Amino acid sequence: DAGITQSPRHKVTETGTPVTLRCHQTENHRYMYWYRQDPGHGLRLIHYSYGVKDTDKGEVSDGYSVSRSKTEDFLLTLESATSSQTSVYFCAISGTTLRVNTGELFFGEGSRLTVL
Amino acid sequence: DAKTTQPNSMESNEEEPVHLPCNHSTISGTDYIHWYRQLPSQGPEYVIHGLTSNVNNRMASLAIAEDRKSSTLILHRATLRDAAVYYCILTRALGGAQKLVFGQGTRLTINP
């Protein structure tokens, strides 16, 4: 299994509170991603990172920010959580600096967030 | 971006082969065909990928049509653990991040 750890795995919070989800990898992979999964929408890319301090927006980035201060950690922050951000969040990693990526991503086990 | 079309659901029996189809009629010459699966309450898992030739690995086989407009994921002997949602995704070889676009996939049910 790819060394990806997401924390927390489950969180219940209230509308308006800040929330940070953490993704930690032990694979030294260059690229990291945050996806969310909702019924009827499948998996959608929120943000991704292509290196330390290098990030970019995905398909559904509004309301989210990310940071990557170390290769191994990619944080997803909801500055002020809303009920529409209730979802399952998956972190993924890919690639090394040694070869071209053809599309193999390794996913974490997910973080289930409920915003009341 | 080229899109894929998969049946919403399929059903098979344990210990029988399963053929999961995927249509990608607008595929470009540099697109790779990837398959992922997602078991209940887990993150997606890479299964297999190919470009032009058929591919085999320990999990499955991938058969690619000669015109590359369709492909089939083959599970040779299904087990109950193969019950999952299977996603067919097109990607391009890049020297950068791979922003996978997931569709709805095919929900595979395996009967004992």
Side-chain angles (χ1 to χ4, degrees):
Chain A
D1 289 341
I4 307 170
T5 305
Q6 291 187 228
S7 60
R9 294 290 314 281
H10 300 272
K11 186 173 182 66
V12 180
T13 191
E14 294 188 349
T15 298
T17 60
V19 175
T20 295
L21 305 180
R22 179 185 184 232
C23 179
H24 179 78
Q25 60 144 332
T26 58
E27 306 297 316
N28 199 35
H29 277 33
R30 178 176 180 180
Y31 306 105
M32 299 185 75
Y33 313 79
W34 277 107
Y35 282 84
R36 62 178 287 177
Q37 185 170 33
D38 307 289
H41 287 281
L43 285 121
R44 294 177 292 175
L45 181 64
I46 305 171
H47 280 281
Y48 65 98
S49 170
Y50 45 96
V52 173
K53 297 186 179 178
D54 291 324
T55 65
D56 207 346
K57 295 179 180 180
E59 178 188 0
V60 289
S61 60
D62 287 349
Y64 301 95
S65 62
V66 290
S67 65
R68 191 165 177 202
S69 59
K70 299 184 290 185
T71 298
E72 57 265 36
D73 288 328
F74 192 32
L75 304 180
L76 177 70
T77 298
L78 292 65
E79 299 290 348
S80 178
T82 67
S83 58
S84 64
Q85 294 176 310
T86 293
S87 187
V88 181
Y89 292 86
F90 289 100
C91 173
I93 63 176
S94 76
T96 69
T97 57
L98 300 180
R99 66 180 178 91
V100 173
N101 304 307
T102 57
E104 296 91 277
L105 268 61
F106 302 97
F107 285 81
E109 299 207 352
S111 296
R112 182 175 294 275
L113 175 66
T114 302
V115 183
L116 302 175
Chain B
D1 290 340
K3 294 189 176 181
T4 63
T5 304
Q6 300 178 250
N8 288 333
S9 62
M10 291 184 63
E11 198 168 328
S12 185
N13 297 319
E14 198 174 11
E15 299 186 4
E16 292 184 354
V18 179
H19 291 234
L20 295 162
C22 181
N23 288 320
H24 29 78
S25 58
T26 60
I27 191 171
S28 75
T30 56
D31 285 338
Y32 285 78
I33 302 159
H34 271 78
W35 284 83
Y36 282 77
R37 72 178 185 180
Q38 187 172 19
L39 303 173
S41 300
Q42 294 190 25
E45 173 187 30
Y46 166 81
V47 177
I48 199 167
H49 80 280
L51 184 61
T52 56
S53 304
N54 295 344
V55 184
N56 300 297
N57 67 20
R58 65 175 180 82
M59 292 180 68
S61 296
L62 176 60
I64 301 172
E66 198 168 330
D67 64 5
R68 300 207 332 125
K69 294 186 176 184
S70 65
S71 61
T72 303
L73 180 70
I74 302 167
L75 308 179
H76 293 285
R77 197 162 170 266
T79 69
L80 295 177
R81 197 187 174 281
D82 291 321
V85 178
Y86 287 78
Y87 299 98
C88 171
I89 302 171
L90 301 183
T91 69
R92 291 193 176 162
L94 299 171
Q98 280 286 356
K99 294 173 280 183
L100 299 187
V101 178
F102 287 81
Q104 296 301 313
T106 297
R107 183 173 299 277
L108 176 65
T109 301
I110 304 296
N111 299 315

